[in-house]
Amino acid sequence: MGTAENLIRGGSGPVRPAEPPEYWRYTLHLASLAAAPDEADEAERVAAVLRDPDRVMAESAVVTHLDRRAARLLADERFQDWARAVGAALEGRAFPVARLREWSLLNSVNQGEPWSAAELSGTSDWCQRTAVALLTSYEALRLLADTGRTRRVRHAAAQRLLRRPSL
């Protein structure tokens, strides 16, 4: 009986499909980033993940983490300190920098800080969909209902405006 047959029959444990190593590193990176105790440590961990030899996987892990963390901090006064700390670790990485910039814009809109129609209109489809889902600003929703990049964004923003009393 071969090794594979022995494992299938329960000889040395269950048979698991072989996952690519980048899958496991991605999962470990996400766990490490989520466990950071403070902004400084989080920034160091982001920098460490971005040193992974698989650039695409590393940036994907960092952006997934940014999305999770920024969504939790969106209404929090600590957002700007977090964004500055993590932003320093993203230098030279176009996609993560752009994503953090979009989260910072959403935070500005959410906090009632200055923002421009041109900024919000020029954001990615992802950012506009996220804005429609998370923001409560009548001005931002009206802008997206009128000039959103896609029909999906315009429709969703218009629907949120119709339900405005629940905002």
Side-chain angles (χ1 to χ4, degrees):
M1 180 177 346
T3 305
E5 291 169 323
N6 188 34
L7 290 173
I8 290 170
R9 295 181 197 275
S12 295
V15 174
R16 296 182 192 162
E19 297 289 348
E22 57 273 6
Y23 170 84
W24 295 108
R25 287 197 324 275
Y26 176 86
T27 302
L28 291 172
H29 289 326
L30 285 178
S32 172
L33 291 166
D38 56 42
E39 286 89 3
D41 188 61
E42 185 174 359
E44 289 176 18
R45 290 176 189 217
V46 165
V49 169
L50 291 174
R51 287 191 295 271
D52 189 283
D54 186 338
R55 184 180 179 108
V56 172
M57 181 276 301
E59 287 185 7
S60 177
V62 167
V63 168
T64 298
H65 173 71
L66 291 178
D67 289 347
R68 291 174 179 174
R69 184 89 157 106
R72 284 194 310 271
L73 289 174
L74 194 60
D76 195 311
E77 60 193 32
R78 297 174 300 160
F79 182 94
Q80 292 302 327
D81 292 336
W82 168 80
R84 271 191 293 282
V86 172
L90 301 177
E91 193 171 316
R93 303 297 183 117
F95 182 59
V97 166
R99 183 57 66 90
L100 184 59
R101 187 178 318 112
E102 289 182 333
W103 274 114
S104 294
L105 174 61
L106 295 177
N107 176 257
S108 293
V109 173
N110 204 46
Q111 297 297 323
E113 296 171 1
W115 59 278
S116 74
E119 280 181 293
L120 189 56
S121 295
T123 59
S124 67
D125 294 349
W126 169 87
C127 184
Q128 291 188 4
R129 286 191 310 271
T130 303
V132 169
L134 297 179
L135 297 181
T136 58
S137 164
Y138 174 81
E139 185 181 358
L141 290 171
R142 171 59 42 213
L143 174 72
L144 292 172
D146 293 341
T147 64
R149 290 171 52 104
T150 65
R151 190 174 345 151
R152 178 180 174 186
V153 166
R154 292 188 301 273
H155 177 74
Q159 292 300 306
R160 289 278 319 272
L161 287 168
L162 289 174
R163 297 187 315 262
R164 188 162 184 263
S166 66
L167 293 176

